[in-house]
Amino acid sequence: MRLFLTIAAVASVSLAPAAAADVPVTDANLAYTGRWTTESAGAVPHWAGAYVTAKFTGTTVKVKARAAVNFYASIDNGPDVFFAGVKGTVPLTPSALPAGTHSLRLSYRSGDTIFQGLGLDAGASTAPVTPPPKLLEFVGDSITYGALTSKLALSAYGWQVGERLGVRHKQIARSGYCLVAASGCVGQAAQFFRTDSTGDTAWDFTRYQATAVVINLGTNDAGHGVSGPAFQAAYTKLLRDIRAKYPNATLFAFETLKKRYVTETKNAVAATGDPKVRFITTEGWLTTGMDYADGDGHPNDGGHTKIADRLAPILAPALFA
């Protein structure tokens, strides 16, 4: 009897499942794109369209969430799957993956947007990620943010262009923002240089360098009484200030879809005297009603795709020349 009990005890120990592997947010193999900060609670994405990518071994992966959050996850370059109102340790692989090395991309939408790390199979580990060397940054308001589209930032033209061209991409955009600060309207002339869409903490531009920057501002300024001369002066200064942060980037001034401040925007481009600052005309790109979610204000998913169709070949030479 004693022998039986001893063998049973040994068998019980040998069959106990091994502990899953934890991946902290500081893991050197995680690749963060966009403006992220690491805080005591985890890694925090700022502005729209920030994402984190990883490679991992094993057959399953989980993400850790402190509280209810909405995010998108893409595994092995597959579709972005939406996880709504999840928290705790969230399984991302309802079916086991084939053995081997896999990829993951996470992008947060809303809620408690704090990334607290990954959970992998016992004995699994992360592997180095090699992000594309080129990076596109899109600066704007609700249109660049992707307001009224199905996936917000992930449906917006900037995300689509970045994915199409195979480069890293980031949207420094928020609904309702202007170029010039005015009552009820935050001005990107100053906020672009800050870590978050709210607050005054300066962003550390040594963290990454954009290859090209697309600026789509002016749609909201007209409703806040910004004069043409004030807009032109602010746009000229913004272009020069961005050039100071990104000495080698090509800067593109995007003609607003409502054709507001067109002359002033062109004049601002000319005033820089910089051959790598260019104006993009958007004449005829979208059709009122058909390509908008609300008549003529915010492009729908198809409208953003049409913008990406036009914009990608304009930006490609600046990225790959």
Side-chain angles (χ1 to χ4, degrees), residues 140-178:
D141 48 41
S142 58
I143 295 173
T144 303
Y145 172 77
L148 304 188
T149 65
S150 62
K151 293 183 178 180
L152 299 182
L154 276 67
S155 300
Y157 66 88
W159 184 283
Q160 292 194 45
V161 169
E163 291 294 289
R164 190 174 304 187
L165 296 177
V167 299
R168 291 176 294 151
H169 44 84
K170 182 72 182 84
Q171 291 137 280
I172 308 298
R174 183 161 174 165
S175 293
Y177 277 23
C178 295

Side-chain angles (χ1 to χ4, degrees), residues 83-158:
F83 291 79
V86 294
K87 62 181 178 180
T89 302
V90 183
L92 303 181
T93 47
S95 299
L97 302 169
T101 301
H102 302 278
S103 65
L104 168 69
R105 180 181 66 197
L106 292 172
S107 179
Y108 289 89
R109 174 169 174 146
S110 59
D112 192 56
T113 54
I114 297 177
F115 173 57
Q116 294 195 309
L118 302 175
L120 304 178
D121 295 340
S125 63
T126 59
V129 173
T130 304
K134 309 290 185 178
L135 186 145
L136 273 172
E137 200 157 55
F138 296 86
V139 186
D141 48 41
S142 58
I143 295 173
T144 303
Y145 172 77
L148 304 188
T149 65
S150 62
K151 293 183 178 180
L152 299 182
L154 276 67
S155 300
Y157 66 88

Side-chain angles (χ1 to χ4, degrees), residues 99-281:
T101 301
H102 302 278
S103 65
L104 168 69
R105 180 181 66 197
L106 292 172
S107 179
Y108 289 89
R109 174 169 174 146
S110 59
D112 192 56
T113 54
I114 297 177
F115 173 57
Q116 294 195 309
L118 302 175
L120 304 178
D121 295 340
S125 63
T126 59
V129 173
T130 304
K134 309 290 185 178
L135 186 145
L136 273 172
E137 200 157 55
F138 296 86
V139 186
D141 48 41
S142 58
I143 295 173
T144 303
Y145 172 77
L148 304 188
T149 65
S150 62
K151 293 183 178 180
L152 299 182
L154 276 67
S155 300
Y157 66 88
W159 184 283
Q160 292 194 45
V161 169
E163 291 294 289
R164 190 174 304 187
L165 296 177
V167 299
R168 291 176 294 151
H169 44 84
K170 182 72 182 84
Q171 291 137 280
I172 308 298
R174 183 161 174 165
S175 293
Y177 277 23
C178 295
L179 167 67
V180 181
S183 177
C185 198
V186 174
Q188 287 280 41
Q191 202 65 36
F192 169 81
F193 300 94
R194 295 167 182 164
T195 297
D196 196 70
S197 59
T198 61
D200 298 323
T201 302
W203 173 246
D204 178 5
F205 282 86
T206 66
R207 295 274 299 276
Y208 65 76
Q209 284 284 296
T211 311
V213 181
V214 179
I215 304 161
N216 182 1
L217 289 168
T219 299
N220 296 323
D221 291 75
H224 290 271
V226 178
S227 69
F231 184 88
Q232 180 174 319
Y235 211 127
T236 303
K237 184 176 186 302
L238 175 64
L239 292 169
R240 288 172 174 163
D241 289 346
I242 293 177
R243 165 62 68 235
K245 299 299 185 181
Y246 298 142
N248 301 312
T250 303
L251 311 184
F252 294 91
F254 188 99
E255 180 183 26
T256 63
L257 298 172
K258 283 184 173 290
K259 309 300 181 282
R260 292 174 176 170
Y261 302 103
V262 176
T263 298
E264 290 82 1
T265 303
K266 289 180 177 178
N267 289 344
V269 169
T272 66
D274 186 335
K276 294 186 73 174
V277 177
R278 303 166 187 173
F279 178 79
I280 296 176
T281 181

Side-chain angles (χ1 to χ4, degrees), residues 1-9:
M1 181 64 69
R2 291 179 182 176
L3 177 61
F4 173 77
L5 290 175
T6 302
I7 294 174

Side-chain angles (χ1 to χ4, degrees), residues 35-125:
R35 299 185 183 182
W36 289 78
T37 55
T38 302
E39 303 174 6
S40 58
V44 182
H46 302 277
W47 294 95
Y51 54 93
V52 55
T53 52
K55 285 187 176 181
F56 62 95
T57 62
T59 61
T60 68
V61 61
K62 302 176 180 67
V63 64
K64 298 177 182 180
R66 181 180 67 174
V69 64
N70 306 308
F71 63 83
Y72 294 96
S74 168
I75 294 177
D76 292 337
N77 300 312
D80 291 288
V81 177
F82 186 45
F83 291 79
V86 294
K87 62 181 178 180
T89 302
V90 183
L92 303 181
T93 47
S95 299
L97 302 169
T101 301
H102 302 278
S103 65
L104 168 69
R105 180 181 66 197
L106 292 172
S107 179
Y108 289 89
R109 174 169 174 146
S110 59
D112 192 56
T113 54
I114 297 177
F115 173 57
Q116 294 195 309
L118 302 175
L120 304 178
D121 295 340
S125 63

